[in-house]
Amino acid sequence: DVLDGASSTWYYTPARSLADLTGLRQLPTVKLKVTSRTEPHGDENLTSVTVENPSTHLAMFIRLQLKKDQGGEEVLPILWSDNYFCLMPGEGRKFTAIYQRKELQGTTPLVQVAGWNVVGESFY
């Protein structure tokens, strides 16, 4: 983005032009390797998720969600250690999600992974 500093106020700076991100459509698709594990901690559950990018391409804007069974509603409220992230080729990261066990309503928690150039939406 190119900002218009001459038109700036103390609370807002307009943009003269916006970045051209159309090249992102050309990113090759990536299949991620994901593992997850859920453990009880008192009235809460802690779900640990490891996401790895075994490809030779960038994996962009990866989003993690915890679902109540496959195709079920998202578990909310939830606190993720991080989300909407990118992985470089060969990179892996670990994440945690903490939530009240009662929010599962007796269902099995499943991690759903999606991303800008990630193959499909997968459950783990």
Side-chain angles (χ1 to χ4, degrees):
D1 297 346
V2 177
L3 301 178
D4 183 4
S7 299
S8 183
T9 65
W10 68 272
Y11 62 90
Y12 175 72
T13 301
R16 277 194 274 159
S17 65
L18 300 177
D20 180 6
L21 301 177
T22 56
L24 294 176
R25 292 186 216 151
Q26 306 306 315
L27 284 174
T29 57
V30 172
K31 178 143 180 69
L32 300 174
K33 180 180 176 189
V34 180
T35 57
S36 66
R37 179 180 168 166
T38 299
E39 298 176 354
H41 282 124
D43 293 338
E44 298 178 323
N45 274 3
L46 177 86
T47 297
S48 301
V49 182
T50 301
V51 184
E52 298 176 68
N53 178 5
S55 79
T56 57
H57 305 288
L58 171 71
M60 193 156 171
F61 296 143
I62 302 164
R63 179 182 184 202
L64 304 176
Q65 289 183 298
L66 196 70
K67 299 284 188 142
K68 301 173 188 175
D69 289 324
Q70 188 165 344
E73 293 179 11
E74 186 175 5
V75 176
L76 294 171
I78 191 166
L79 178 63
W80 283 99
S81 58
D82 198 1
N83 219 337
Y84 288 101
F85 56 95
C86 297
L87 289 177
M88 297 299 287
E91 183 182 13
R93 290 182 58 193
K94 294 181 182 182
F95 305 91
T96 56
I98 301 171
Y99 52 95
Q100 293 291 314
R101 187 174 307 110
K102 68 181 180 181
E103 298 301 330
L104 291 173
Q105 300 169 333
T107 62
T108 302
L110 290 175
V111 176
Q112 183 179 23
V113 180
W116 179 264
N117 62 325
V118 173
V119 176
E121 290 187 357
S122 303
F123 292 89
Y124 301 91

